[in-house]
Amino acid sequence: MTQSRYRLAFELYPYRKVAAQDAPVPERHPIVVVGAGPIGVATALDLAQRGQPVLVLDDHEGIGEGSRAICFSQRCLEIADRLGCGAAMVEKGVVWNVGKVFHGDDRVFEFNLQPEAGHKNPAFINLQQPYFEKFLIDQVRAEQDRGLEIEIRGRNRVTALEDRGDCIALSVDTPDGPYSLHADWLIACDGARSPLREMMGLGFEGRVFEDNFLIADVKMTADFPTERWFWFEPPFKDAGQSALLHKQPDDIWRIDFQLGWDIDREKELDEANIRARVDAMLGPEAQYELEWTSIYTFQCRRMERFRHGRVMFAGDAAHQVSPFGARGANSGMQDAENLAWKLDLVIRGLAPEHLLDTYSEERVFGADENILNSTRATDFITPKTEISTLFRNAVLTLAHTHAFAMPLVNSGRLSVPCVYDGLSLTGEDRLAGAPARTRPGAPCVDAPLRDGFLLDTLGSGFTLLALNTDAPETFSEAGLDVAQLALGADDDPTGALSARYLGNAAAAVYLIRPDQHVVARWPAFDETATRAALRRATGQE
């Protein structure tokens, strides 16, 4: 019998018995996703929209309480847009671009994450994770109404798996007892404690930071600006070495307090003690309600490889970072978009199976980048040696009056999408003088067009983007059809498209992957080079 591990914020996929539970032989599915959190559902949605039937198994019947992840980056919103739920996220979320860093009572500096105009989505929104998950499930329901084959089975807990070479055999427990099913491909999105990872005996190596942080979500009406405020050595009582304040929807404010390593967790979670800390920050006259509290410990870890035969790991099941920098859910969404198009091509026979190895290659690369930045931020925020403390305090002191020290202040370098520089699928760059931000391996940068925005015009497959030059309207290679998008000066009313994709070049042709990363670029269409780049991007060279 499956048991609930947490209370639900939204019950969205209640248990119901299915015919497969009484079938004489195990039901077989092309793709099974384990875990209906945001990464599992996003991966399933992407695959279903590409025409693949997907079954999602989850050990609960909906979304757990607690805000958990709250900061969603522009790239995450762009992915969500492509899946169909980005607009709902932005409408509900709290948009913010400005952050301020304090040392005691003094403001050290502030930053703007999106100083330029011409993007459909903001740099960041704050949105409680349950809403994000609900919008994804809402999109699943919309796709089901359109006839797409995506199914979520609640209270279906995977208890064992066996690799049989041509499939993965799963044992599943339900309120009506166990049953078995087979999966051609299995995607593990079952969280940081991943039971599937444990069943397969796979490691999860890295660093656990000796510190604890208290989260307090408080409901109140306050006139604080919609900004990210971070304090080193906060001036309010019992706040520890650092504190953080964020606004969320529904008049909820997230407050983080650094507690230290050797703490009594039960004592720290006592409501009276939590209120004492919050009162010290907000003032004794503040009126608020405690909505949700938790204590977390930083961890920066990952699996050695994210692909193991017919099993792929994504999101927290594959990698974990500290929350400062908002790199958890945002990097997990990049896992989802990277994996879905590759698995789709492999299943269709349009790419060799080893294309899936590049999922691990690219996303391990991304995880290492996130872990590096997250570790640096955590070491700066929570110095553990006398030397590192002296360095941190010296930087903060200098940053008050010396601009050169400001970039050294690290209150959590915020998530940016990974650029796959020099990796297996990244092609050539023959566009001299073009912007580095749109080089091969980089995700496409949005830009306003005469009618809409660039990223909205890119399809779900490979695209040949021709700027101020000609390219074939139809183009095929090795069974793959490539869509053409030709844009000129008349389509670029603000000049942002030219600035972001041409730089000093007069014209350009870009080959763009289904996940909107650049494969290669040239000053004009070159059929031989384009065919070679497409074969490379699909693992055929």
Side-chain angles (χ1 to χ4, degrees):
M1 174 71 78
T2 57
Q3 299 293 325
S4 295
R5 291 178 290 111
Y6 47 75
R7 294 168 56 187
L8 299 183
F10 302 107
E11 183 182 86
L12 296 174
Y13 34 88
Y15 171 77
R16 63 180 181 86
K17 190 172 182 180
V18 295
Q21 292 171 243
D22 295 323
V25 296
E27 188 178 61
R28 184 156 181 161
H29 293 265
I31 305 167
V32 173
V33 176
V34 177
I39 311 310
V41 175
T43 307
L45 258 176
D46 204 334
L47 284 160
Q49 290 172 350
R50 296 177 188 280
Q52 297 294 342
V54 188
L55 171 64
V56 182
L57 304 176
D58 193 76
D59 59 359
H60 283 69
E61 296 177 294
I63 297 164
E65 290 183 334
S67 62
R68 291 166 287 149
I70 63 165
C71 295
F72 296 99
S73 70
Q74 184 176 82
R75 185 62 198 145
C76 178
L77 296 172
E78 291 165 352
I79 297 167
D81 252 350
R82 185 166 51 80
L83 296 178
C85 57
M89 292 176 65
V90 174
E91 182 179 358
K92 180 67 177 178
V94 172
V95 174
W96 67 277
N97 293 316
V98 173
K100 293 178 180 175
V101 177
F102 301 86
H103 185 200
D105 284 314
D106 298 328
R107 190 178 76 183
V108 178
F109 68 93
E110 67 178 68
F111 57 85
N112 188 334
L113 294 171
Q114 188 157 288
E116 64 179 12
H119 293 263
K120 177 181 177 181
N121 284 296
F124 269 88
I125 64 166
N126 284 358
L127 178 72
Q128 296 93 322
Q129 184 172 325
Y131 286 119
F132 178 32
E133 295 188 52
K134 183 180 183 299
F135 295 145
L136 285 165
I137 298 295
D138 289 346
Q139 189 63 35
V140 167
R141 300 305 180 211
E143 302 296 2
Q144 290 172 333
D145 290 342
R146 291 202 302 125
L148 297 192
E149 296 182 69
I150 179 169
E151 177 187 0
I152 302 177
R153 295 181 187 171
R155 293 189 73 183
N156 274 239
R157 177 174 295 166
V158 176
T159 57
L161 66 82
E162 178 188 354
D163 188 343
R164 296 190 176 175
D166 68 332
C167 72
I168 302 296
L170 299 174
S171 299
V172 183
D173 195 18
T174 76
D176 287 309
Y179 73 106
S180 299
L181 58 81
H182 292 169
D184 293 342
W185 299 96
L186 180 66
I187 304 174
C189 301
D190 54 340
R193 294 184 176 87
S194 181
L196 292 183
R197 193 179 63 232
E198 294 297 320
M199 291 174 200
M200 295 179 68
L202 299 172
F204 202 45
E205 302 301 324
R207 181 176 169 190
V208 177
F209 290 85
E210 294 186 355
D211 221 318
N212 292 283
F213 287 76
L214 170 70
I215 295 174
D217 277 1
V218 304
K219 185 175 181 65
M220 64 178 179
T221 302
D223 58 0
F224 302 132
T226 305
E227 299 170 347
R228 177 187 191 262
W229 288 1
F230 187 97
W231 286 266
F232 291 99
E233 299 183 339
F236 20 91
K237 183 181 178 182
D238 295 330
Q241 291 191 61
S242 66
L244 180 66
L245 178 68
H246 269 287
K247 184 179 182 180
Q248 302 176 73
D250 306 325
D251 290 323
I252 304 295
W253 295 78
R254 159 74 65 85
I255 304 173
D256 289 48
F257 296 106
Q258 185 177 350
L259 301 180
W261 180 239
D262 187 17
I263 65 168
D264 182 333
R265 293 175 69 91
E266 184 176 346
K267 178 181 177 182
E268 295 294 350
L269 286 171
D270 181 83
E271 182 173 337
N273 291 326
I274 294 172
R275 284 188 172 276
R277 292 181 188 276
V278 175
D279 289 346
M281 172 188 267
L282 302 178
E285 304 305 318
Q287 300 294 314
Y288 62 86
E289 299 174 18
L290 289 176
E291 287 284 310
W292 180 68
T293 59
S294 181
I295 289 176
Y296 62 85
T297 299
F298 286 172
Q299 300 184 47
C300 290
R301 304 188 292 173
R302 71 164 172 86
M303 300 175 67
E304 181 180 358
R305 292 179 289 117
F306 296 172
R307 181 194 176 197
H308 292 265
R310 292 183 172 272
V311 183
M312 269 72 65
F313 289 81
D316 285 351
H319 50 79
Q320 227 183 332
V321 292
S322 73
F324 285 120
R327 295 172 181 273
N330 289 305
S331 64
M333 287 291 283
Q334 292 165 55
D335 293 349
E337 69 157 3
N338 189 293
L339 176 57
W341 71 270
K342 294 176 180 178
L343 183 55
D344 174 61
L345 290 186
V346 169
I347 291 173
R348 293 181 187 277
L350 295 173
E353 186 180 312
H354 68 250
L355 178 64
L356 296 173
D357 292 333
T358 69
Y359 161 68
S360 181
E361 175 194 17
E362 291 181 340
R363 295 314 301 154
V364 164
F365 183 82
D368 284 345
E369 181 179 284
N370 282 319
I371 287 171
L372 175 64
N373 282 284
S374 186
T375 299
R376 286 174 173 171
T378 306
D379 282 337
F380 193 88
I381 292 167
T382 65
K384 294 298 183 294
T385 68
E386 184 178 352
I387 293 297
S388 58
T389 301
L390 286 171
F391 171 78
R392 197 275 304 270
N393 291 342
V395 167
L396 290 171
T397 299
L398 288 168
H400 284 291
T401 53
H402 295 79
F404 80 87
M406 292 180 185
L408 300 176
V409 177
N410 194 338
S411 63
R413 300 276 189 258
L414 287 157
S415 175
V416 294
C418 180
V419 178
Y420 303 131
D421 284 319
L423 301 188
S424 299
L425 305 187
T426 302
E428 62 183 345
D429 187 359
R430 282 202 229 153
L431 198 62
R437 67 195 292 194
T438 50
R439 66 190 182 273
C444 289
V445 179
D446 206 3
L449 304 180
R450 181 180 54 200
D451 299 309
F453 285 85
L454 175 65
L455 295 189
D456 286 340
T457 65
L458 299 178
S460 60
F462 282 90
T463 301
L464 204 58
L465 173 64
L467 301 173
N468 300 340
T469 189
D470 295 326
E473 290 187 11
T474 59
F475 185 82
S476 299
E477 171 67 21
L480 280 169
D481 295 325
V482 179
Q484 183 240 50
L485 176 62
L487 299 172
D490 290 344
D491 301 297
D492 185 19
T494 67
L497 180 67
S498 176
R500 293 166 193 177
Y501 285 84
L502 293 177
N504 296 326
V509 173
Y510 280 72
L511 180 61
I512 299 169
R513 298 183 348 179
D515 59 2
Q516 300 179 345
H517 279 253
V518 176
V519 177
R521 60 184 181 180
W522 308 272
F525 176 69
D526 181 323
E527 181 175 350
T528 300
T530 303
R531 291 187 184 279
L534 185 59
R535 290 194 300 272
R536 177 170 183 162
T538 54
Q540 299 178 65
E541 274 200 356

